[in-house]
């Protein structure tokens, strides 16, 4: 028998959590304050690009195990579990802004049935389980931390095949009840105290960001010493302690999580009296990477992009998502615009110039972006870019420079056609 679950917030975490729990056989009500969004979801329309999520959404609606409502009261009244999946944006001082969590907790408090387990799924600062307990002001409900480790683009797969399920609670019975929701999911389960669960989430994201800044720094060394970073990471990865995953160099890391979570962890550490210089360095290397990549494009354009047309393939922060939040591609495009470039961009999920880069021209396909361009910059690793007609691309451009910031394209095929190719970390 499934449990009754309410999910507050239908962003990518809430929506994935709700639809996947419905798929596992639970009765789920998802609540959001955005009426138009709720209406679309009821029609089975997904507001985001996310692999496999649309199918599960429609499956849940058909089976009636998944419902959408405006406002949280109705959703929580009958719920045994309430998942808080509201945003925790970055506050002005780098700390996570808890006002949405606080507002959600205060709103639901009067409507909760005694014994309900309220679960923090959003990435929240260490101490937030206590904070939610206080905001709720209800001694007859439990608050548990159950952080998410979903990657955009493969969130459904990650939910149903997690590397681990982490539950933070001082109350064993509440922890076991939360664990039982994941019945049938093949993963290690770990119960710890709330502060440890919250720290696991931040430490994991900060470690992954560290790995990426490290590999981008190694890529810079490779360029200077004539090594090829692709071979270097392959060789490194055979060491089981290092592994092959998450070692692709790129234009820098971004997205809705790493930049915000790394700053939040620095802030959390600082408040606790620890100066997290290592993580500061990780962020600095990332900002430098945006500049390094921009410089590469400028060099490829002959030393200046003033008045030059630059073709850009990819604007999202990574492939298989339409998410532009803190996208490294946009950081680089902003820098190019500031240097006087004309930017023609194509991204499979973008139809209008994103905020902050209104001056760019968004093109309908990858070839159109190349028309009259002196340099092509590949900024996001969309698979379709690998299979484009290089002769046609060459025919459209006025110069033949390619800066491949994802090491995605076939270098020898490009060189054969007369392109001047530069990747990341490949001399
Ligand atoms: C990240 C984490 O991977 C998830 O485990 C976590 O749950 C999530 O944040 C979150 O906190 O919600 P996500 O933001 O979807 O997931 O993106 P990633 O796939 O981790 O990529 C982050 C950035 O690193 C992107 O800009 C991506 O292009 C870049 N990246 C990733 C590389 O440059 N190289 C790689 O090898 C991998």
């Amino acid at each position: 028998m499934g449990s009754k679950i309410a999910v507050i917030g239908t962003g990518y975490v809430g929506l994935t959590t709700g639809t996947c729990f419905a798929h596992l056989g639970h009765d789920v009500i998802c609540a959001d304050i955005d009426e138009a969004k709720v209406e679309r979801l009821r029609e089975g329309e997904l507001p985001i690009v996310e692999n496999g999520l649309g199918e599960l959404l429609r499956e849940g609606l058909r089976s009636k195990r998944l419902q959408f409502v405006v406002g949280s009261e109705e959703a929580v009244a009958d719920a045994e579990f309430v998942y808080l999946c509201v945003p925790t944006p970055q506050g002005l001082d780098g700390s996570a802004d808890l006002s949405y969590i606080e507002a959600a907790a205060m709103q639901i408090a009067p409507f909760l049935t005694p014994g309900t387990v309220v679960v923090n799924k959003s990435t929240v600062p260490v101490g937030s389980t206590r904070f939610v307990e206080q905001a709720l002001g209800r001694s007859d409900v439990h608050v548990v931390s159950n952080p998410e480790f979903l990657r955009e683009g493969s969130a459904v797969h990650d939910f149903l095949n997690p590397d681990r399920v982490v539950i933070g609670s001082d109350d064993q019975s509440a922890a076991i009840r939360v664990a039982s929701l994941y019945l049938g999911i093949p993963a290690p389960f770990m119960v710890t105290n709330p502060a440890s669960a919250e720290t696991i989430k931040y430490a994991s994201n900060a470690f992954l960001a560290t790995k990426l800044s490290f590999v981008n720094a190694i890529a810079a060394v490779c360029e200077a010493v004539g090594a090829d970073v692709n071979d270097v990471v392959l060789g490194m990865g055979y060491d089981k302690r290092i592994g092959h995953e998450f070692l692709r160099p790129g234009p820098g890391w971004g997205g809705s999580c790493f930049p915000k979570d790394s700053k939040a962890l620095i802030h959390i550490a600082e408040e606790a009296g620890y100066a997290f210089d290592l993580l500061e360095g990780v962020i600095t290397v990332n900002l430098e990477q945006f500049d390094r990549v921009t410089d590469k494009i400028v060099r490829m354009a002959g030393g200046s992009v003033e008045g030059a047309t630059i073709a850009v393939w990819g604007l999202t922060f990574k492939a298989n998502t339409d998410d532009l939040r803190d996208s490294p591609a946009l950081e680089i495009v902003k820098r190019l615009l500031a240097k006087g470039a004309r930017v023609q961009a194509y991204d499979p999920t973008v139809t209008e110039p994103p905020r902050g880069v209104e001056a760019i021209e968004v093109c309908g396909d990858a070839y159109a972006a190349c028309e009259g361009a002196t340099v092509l910059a590949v900024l996001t690793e969309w698979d379709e870019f690998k299979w484009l007609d290089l002769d046609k691309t060459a025919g459209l451009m006025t110069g033949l420079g390619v800066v491949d910031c994802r090491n995605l394209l076939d270098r020898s095929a490009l060189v054969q056609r007369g392109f001047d190719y530069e990747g990341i970390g490949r001399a």
Side-chain angles (χ1 to χ4, degrees):
M1 244 271 289
S3 299
K4 291 191 166 72
I5 304 175
V7 176
I8 313 299
T10 58
Y12 104 96
V13 173
L15 209 47
T16 308
T17 303
T19 48
C20 287
F21 273 142
H23 177 71
L24 291 176
H26 302 296
D27 287 314
V28 181
I29 305 185
C30 295
D32 205 290
I33 47 170
D34 183 338
E35 289 185 29
K37 192 174 180 188
V38 167
E39 204 44 57
R40 282 183 67 186
L41 287 165
R42 282 180 179 155
E43 297 296 321
E45 259 182 67
L46 207 58
I48 49 170
V49 171
E50 189 57 58
N51 211 357
L53 191 57
E55 288 81 349
L56 286 199
L57 166 67
R58 290 182 284 279
E59 173 197 285
L61 292 170
R62 266 197 310 274
S63 66
K64 302 210 180 347
R65 279 204 293 266
L66 185 60
Q67 294 175 56
F68 292 92
V69 296
V70 179
S72 48
E73 294 90 342
E74 191 191 333
V76 304
D78 209 18
E80 300 160 80
F81 299 89
V82 178
Y83 269 78
L84 296 179
C85 301
V86 295
T88 49
Q90 193 179 307
L92 291 176
D93 57 357
S95 65
D97 172 358
L98 288 181
S99 56
Y100 293 93
I101 289 267
E102 185 175 27
M106 286 167 71
Q107 248 165 38
I108 61 171
F111 305 99
L112 298 172
T113 316
T116 302
V117 181
V118 176
V119 187
N120 265 338
K121 193 75 173 162
S122 311
T123 303
V124 287
V126 181
S128 295
T129 307
R130 299 275 170 269
F131 176 84
V132 171
E133 275 169 3
Q134 276 160 16
L136 286 169
R138 294 266 309 248
S139 55
D140 57 346
V141 301
H142 309 282
V143 184
V144 168
S145 163
N146 175 209
E148 56 86 15
F149 301 100
L150 313 172
R151 290 163 300 172
E152 289 186 31
S154 54
V156 170
H157 174 271
D158 292 350
F159 190 97
L160 298 173
N161 305 276
D163 287 339
R164 75 299 212 188
V165 175
V166 174
I167 298 166
S169 173
D170 290 328
D171 184 303
Q172 283 288 326
S173 70
I176 290 166
R177 283 176 63 197
V178 172
S180 71
L181 296 176
Y182 294 88
L183 209 69
I185 296 257
F189 280 69
M190 144 164 203
V191 177
T192 179
N193 63 35
S196 304
E198 291 156 351
T199 306
I200 288 168
K201 169 64 200 229
Y202 278 106
S204 300
N205 273 4
F207 187 76
L208 290 169
T210 305
K211 217 172 165 186
L212 294 179
S213 278
F214 182 85
V215 84
N216 284 335
I218 287 294
V221 173
C222 286
E223 284 171 18
V225 302
D228 185 327
V229 75
N230 286 359
D231 288 347
V232 171
V233 296
L234 185 67
M236 284 167 66
Y238 283 121
D239 185 327
K240 291 189 192 64
R241 294 167 303 172
I242 299 172
H244 284 113
E245 301 243 355
F246 231 75
L247 278 181
R248 268 180 292 112
W253 42 266
S256 66
C257 303
F258 285 0
K260 150 175 100 68
D261 291 352
S262 48
K263 288 206 193 81
L265 182 53
I266 288 173
H267 193 267
I268 291 164
E270 201 170 51
E271 296 247 290
Y274 178 70
F276 209 147
D277 295 341
L278 175 64
L279 199 49
E280 295 270 15
V282 166
I283 294 173
T284 305
V285 168
N286 199 44
L287 296 174
E288 285 168 3
Q289 187 69 356
F290 302 151
D291 293 332
R292 281 175 48 78
V293 165
T294 309
D295 288 348
K296 260 179 196 288
I297 298 167
V298 171
R299 275 200 309 277
M300 187 61 90
S304 166
V305 288
E306 176 88 57
T309 300
I310 307 295
V312 162
W313 285 356
L315 291 169
T316 51
F317 85 99
K318 64 174 185 179
N320 305 318
T321 172
D322 57 351
D323 203 337
L324 292 160
R325 285 176 290 174
D326 276 324
S327 171
L330 295 189
E331 287 296 328
I332 290 152
V333 166
K334 270 182 208 159
R335 285 164 172 73
L336 291 172
L337 289 174
K339 291 179 189 294
R342 270 196 71 232
V343 175
Q344 297 177 172
Y346 167 69
D347 185 288
T349 63
V350 179
T351 51
E352 279 170 20
R355 204 167 343 134
V357 294
E358 284 82 358
I360 70 168
E361 188 188 332
V362 173
C363 302
D365 64 50
Y367 298 116
C370 291
E371 263 175 57
T374 41
V375 176
L376 162 63
V378 180
L379 299 182
T380 311
E381 74 284 22
W382 287 98
D383 201 53
E384 65 179 70
F385 299 155
K386 285 197 279 196
W387 315 113
L388 293 171
D389 182 336
L390 297 179
D391 293 318
K392 183 170 172 182
T393 307
L396 290 164
M397 293 176 65
T398 52
L400 285 181
V402 173
V403 179
D404 180 3
C405 302
R406 299 281 184 169
N407 293 345
L408 183 78
L409 305 182
D410 182 342
R411 173 164 62 177
S412 54
L414 282 158
V415 171
Q416 259 172 30
R417 284 165 177 82
F419 280 98
D420 194 358
Y421 175 93
E422 219 184 301
I424 300 285
R426 311 171 78 188

